[in-house]
Amino acid sequence: MILGSHVSMSSPKMLLGSAEEAVSYGANAMMIFTGAPQNTRRKKTTAMNIPAAQAYMKDHGPQYIMGHAPYIINLGNTKKPDKYDFAIEFMKAEVQRCDALGITALSFHPGAHVGAGVPAALKSIAHGLDEVLKTNPHVSIAIETMAGKGTEVGTSFEQLAQIIDLTPHNDQLSITFDTCHTNDAGYNIKQDFDGVLNKFDQIIGLDRLSMIHLNDSKNPQGSHKDRHENIGFGTLGFDTLNYICHHPQLENIPKIMETPFVTVDAESKKTVAPYKAEIQMLTTQQFNPQMKDELIAAAQK
């Protein structure tokens, strides 16, 4: 089982600190942003402590490094050409950073049509991705399944397949399957995951699946909300997510959790990461309904 979570990457340790955090959770995979997800300011890769991290990971792990592009990149925006051109140039540099960091797949939110309509956005995204992929990166750009809030696109397997088909240089295009997003988009993850997976295979192909974002959802199927919940505490539930985590067809696919930190003190805004406890639950296949309470109690000692 390949299982991990989002981890931070910050000074001074940078990638080394990310690997140490993942190991502290008992993870054999991790996902990082190359910089803050809300902006496009990035350090040079020479400042990311890559050699020290590689030496550490050789002895301790994790074995899989996944990436996530910043949220603000929107290749579906046909109304602002200056921002579109900037997004393409940023993504060209981003895939180079991923290659330097050893990231195998970069999860990418495809974007929103901002009023121009879905067909225009899909063509725009495909053109932008093709410009990036012409640089021949080693990393796969993994287009993420989206929940459909606002004017988001990529909310159906058909739309994702169309982006791939419209991208001439598409060998390095793949998919990130987010369980929360796909549920919120309307797919019956909870009651018929095998049916959903078969549909994905028929429309896109399992060979295009690079990673799974294993997240519970705060909202019911088809809500189009995109609000993650901790494993077993949402509408999908532990049994569903445990089934996906151990699914024989997904054995070699990294599963990455982006579940929310647990609030210890609302006034001070102190929080604690849930990932060690969630990995333990999924490894033992035993749900712990007291997980949040135990995390809070341990943090208050």
Side-chain angles (χ1 to χ4, degrees):
M1 184 171 63
I2 307 170
L3 180 63
S5 69
H6 169 75
V7 294
S8 62
M9 186 171 72
S10 57
S11 298
K13 286 191 172 182
M14 298 301 288
L15 186 62
L16 174 59
S18 303
E20 290 174 342
E21 183 182 347
V23 169
S24 76
Y25 298 148
N28 58 5
M30 67 181 188
M31 184 175 72
I32 57 173
F33 291 102
T34 66
Q38 300 88 1
N39 64 55
T40 54
R41 296 190 296 273
R42 296 293 182 264
K43 292 180 180 291
K44 293 182 178 180
T45 54
T46 52
M48 292 183 179
N49 208 15
I50 296 172
Q54 290 173 333
Y56 176 85
M57 288 187 287
K58 184 177 180 181
D59 294 331
H60 304 282
Q63 289 81 40
Y64 299 86
I65 311 175
M66 320 308 285
H68 202 306
Y71 302 130
I72 61 172
I73 295 297
N74 183 12
L75 289 179
N77 188 351
T78 60
K79 293 188 173 183
K80 296 183 178 179
D82 56 331
K83 291 188 175 182
Y84 181 73
D85 293 340
F86 173 82
I88 291 173
E89 293 308 310
F90 174 85
M91 284 296 291
K92 286 180 180 179
E94 183 78 336
V95 296
Q96 291 177 358
R97 281 186 288 270
C98 288
D99 286 348
L101 287 160
I103 291 170
T104 56
L106 175 69
S107 193
F108 171 73
H109 289 192
H113 65 72
V114 296
V118 173
L122 298 182
K123 290 179 182 178
S124 178
I125 293 163
H127 176 267
L129 288 173
D130 198 54
E131 290 300 307
V132 176
L133 293 168
K134 284 178 182 178
T135 64
N136 296 315
H138 296 293
V139 67
S140 177
I141 299 179
I143 311 167
E144 191 164 336
T145 58
M146 302 306 294
K149 58 180 182 176
T151 63
E152 279 180 345
V153 298
T155 59
S156 70
F157 299 155
E158 288 83 1
Q159 288 182 12
L160 296 170
Q162 191 172 353
I163 292 172
I164 294 170
D165 290 343
L166 289 169
T167 308
H169 300 82
N170 65 18
D171 288 348
Q172 287 299 95
L173 278 186
S174 60
I175 300 295
T176 295
F177 188 114
D178 187 302
T179 54
C180 171
H181 295 178
T182 308
N183 168 78
D184 288 16
Y187 289 89
N188 194 355
I189 300 295
K190 183 177 179 66
Q191 296 177 321
D192 187 23
F193 178 73
D194 282 334
V196 173
L197 191 64
N198 286 337
K199 187 171 185 178
F200 178 93
D201 191 26
Q202 292 167 6
I203 296 171
I204 298 175
L206 282 174
D207 58 323
R208 290 275 188 184
L209 184 60
S210 279
M211 75 178 101
I212 292 171
H213 285 175
L214 196 71
N215 300 308
D216 214 327
S217 175
K218 289 183 182 291
N219 294 285
Q221 178 186 341
S223 62
H224 304 295
K225 295 288 188 181
D226 182 12
R227 294 188 65 206
H228 298 186
E229 179 57 284
N230 293 101
I231 302 297
F233 290 86
T235 58
L236 290 176
F238 181 79
D239 290 344
T240 298
L241 296 168
N242 183 62
Y243 180 75
I244 294 170
C245 191
H246 294 271
H247 199 287
Q249 286 181 276
L250 306 175
E251 183 179 3
N252 297 319
I253 305 298
K255 291 95 182 170
I256 299 291
M257 290 179 290
E258 307 168 298
T259 50
F261 277 38
V262 175
T263 300
V264 176
D265 186 328
E267 186 174 340
S268 67
K269 298 184 179 180
K270 181 180 179 182
T271 59
V272 60
Y275 303 126
K276 183 176 182 179
E278 289 179 326
I279 288 172
Q280 184 176 17
M281 287 196 303
L282 290 164
T283 302
T284 62
Q285 304 193 62
Q286 295 289 326
F287 177 56
N288 177 10
Q290 304 302 318
M291 183 198 79
K292 291 186 180 183
D293 294 336
E294 292 173 3
L295 286 172
I296 293 169
Q300 288 174 334
K301 289 181 179 179

